[in-house]
């Protein structure tokens, strides 16, 4: 029996769009500034968490070094890396159908909100969202619990059993769980089925249109 989800919250990278090319290119440029070389495939695991957490692994705990790495990353990302991106098959059809069912749709991404807005607008997906939530440029409000709560506040809603979080990494699943919400792990993004199941995903789906069987 279907549960009554009134609000569907989506992650962005690895959930709505395949964004690895722009993110890993930006990351490689930032790391090269510090004399660090990493191949594209090994960097994909960093898609999801905040840049602060990612670069701490490479440059240590020095805040100035972390901020310099983020600055170098964003120089490439803002110049065009954010649009080295592709909307997954079935995403727009799914958003359109969810909207037609009278449900609210929000974005809850750890990516800075200003970039989320630009990416969704570029691909014509912004019109389906009641609110587009992301982190601040200074990397605050980047934890998934924080950004889900922020997005819900902006549509005058609170976390609960009527809200469903859709994402591709354990951070999405654990964020939803921390707020008492159900979650969907998508298997076409950057997290494995094992990662999503271990995190406690309520459901897993192989393609975005499968979401319509749940909501």
């Amino acid at each position: 029996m279907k549960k009554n989800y009134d609000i569907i919250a989506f992650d962005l990278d690895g959930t709505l769009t395949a964004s690895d090319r722009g993110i890993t290119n930006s990351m490689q440029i930032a790391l090269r500034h510090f004399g660090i070389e990493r191949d594209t495939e090994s960097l994909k695991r960093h898609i999801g968490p905040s840049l602060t957490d990612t670069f701490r692994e490479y440059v240590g705990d020095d805040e100035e070094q972390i901020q310099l790495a983020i600055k170098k990353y964003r120089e490439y990302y803002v110049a065009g890396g954010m649009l080295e991106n592709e909307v997954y098959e079935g995403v727009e059809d799914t958003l359109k159908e969810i909207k037609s069912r009278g449900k609210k749709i929000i974005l809850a991404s750890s990516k800075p909100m200003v970039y989320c807005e630009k990416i969704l607008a570029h691909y014509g997906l912004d019109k389906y969202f009641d609110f587009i939530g992301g982190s601040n440029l200074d990397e605050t409000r980047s934890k998934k619990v924080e950004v889900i709560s922020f997005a819900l506040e902006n549509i005058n809603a609170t976390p609960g059993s009527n809200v469903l979080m859709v994402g591709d990494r354990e951070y999405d699943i654990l964020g939803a769980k921390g707020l008492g919400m159900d979650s969907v792990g998508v298997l076409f993004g950057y997290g494995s089925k094992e990662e999503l199941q271990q995190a406690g995903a309520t459901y897993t789906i192989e393609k975005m249109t499968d979401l319509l069987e749940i909501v």
Side-chain angles (χ1 to χ4, degrees):
M1 192 173 84
K2 279 189 183 180
K3 291 180 71 171
N4 186 27
Y5 298 113
D6 302 315
I7 303 165
I8 317 300
F10 287 91
D11 174 47
L12 179 54
D13 295 325
T15 302
L16 299 178
T17 66
S19 53
D20 52 280
R21 191 158 59 97
I23 290 173
T24 56
N25 283 346
S26 302
M27 215 169 277
Q28 284 175 325
I29 282 169
L31 291 175
R32 280 184 194 128
H33 182 79
F34 297 89
I36 301 168
E37 287 289 339
R38 288 292 183 274
D39 65 276
T40 299
E41 203 58 38
S42 71
L43 293 174
K44 286 184 183 179
R45 67 187 177 88
H46 296 300
I47 300 173
S50 70
L51 291 176
T52 299
D53 291 341
T54 293
F55 286 126
R56 182 174 284 116
E57 182 177 322
Y58 294 98
V59 303
D61 291 325
D62 186 307
E63 193 59 35
E64 282 189 18
Q65 295 290 84
I66 291 171
Q67 290 306 314
L68 178 58
I70 291 172
K71 180 174 178 285
K72 293 295 178 185
Y73 173 99
R74 286 182 176 160
E75 283 174 3
Y76 181 87
Y77 192 76
V78 172
M82 75 170 77
L83 299 181
E84 291 177 342
N85 213 336
E86 187 180 334
V87 178
Y88 285 117
E89 186 178 349
V91 163
E92 183 159 15
D93 289 342
T94 301
L95 293 173
K96 190 182 296 183
E97 177 59 26
I98 290 172
K99 205 73 187 156
S100 76
R101 295 179 185 182
K103 299 177 187 295
K104 291 193 172 180
I105 300 175
I106 57 175
L107 190 84
S109 170
S110 293
K111 184 187 295 298
M113 196 159 143
V114 62
Y115 302 154
C116 293
E117 291 169 343
K118 286 178 179 176
I119 291 165
L120 291 181
H122 177 80
Y123 293 106
L125 299 177
D126 54 328
K127 60 181 173 286
Y128 300 110
F129 287 81
D130 292 276
F131 186 75
I132 295 169
S135 65
N136 293 311
L137 279 168
D138 64 4
E139 290 284 295
T140 55
R141 201 179 61 230
S142 62
K143 294 189 187 311
K144 194 58 70 160
V145 166
E146 296 171 332
V147 79
I148 295 170
S149 299
F150 170 71
L152 287 170
E153 282 168 19
N154 276 274
I155 60 166
N156 297 311
T158 54
S161 61
N162 68 321
V163 186
L164 184 67
M165 178 72 208
V166 184
D168 69 311
R169 297 296 311 274
E170 62 182 338
Y171 313 101
D172 303 300
I173 308 308
L174 295 172
K177 189 186 282 187
L179 293 168
M181 293 163 36
D182 286 352
S183 59
V184 176
V186 303
L187 301 179
F188 48 80
Y190 302 113
S192 66
K193 185 172 187 176
E194 182 183 29
E195 174 186 328
L196 294 164
Q197 288 180 334
Q198 284 184 349
T202 316
Y203 317 91
T204 55
I205 58 174
E206 294 187 357
K207 57 186 189 298
M208 187 55 85
T209 50
D210 291 343
L211 183 62
L212 298 174
E213 300 301 313
I214 298 168
V215 304

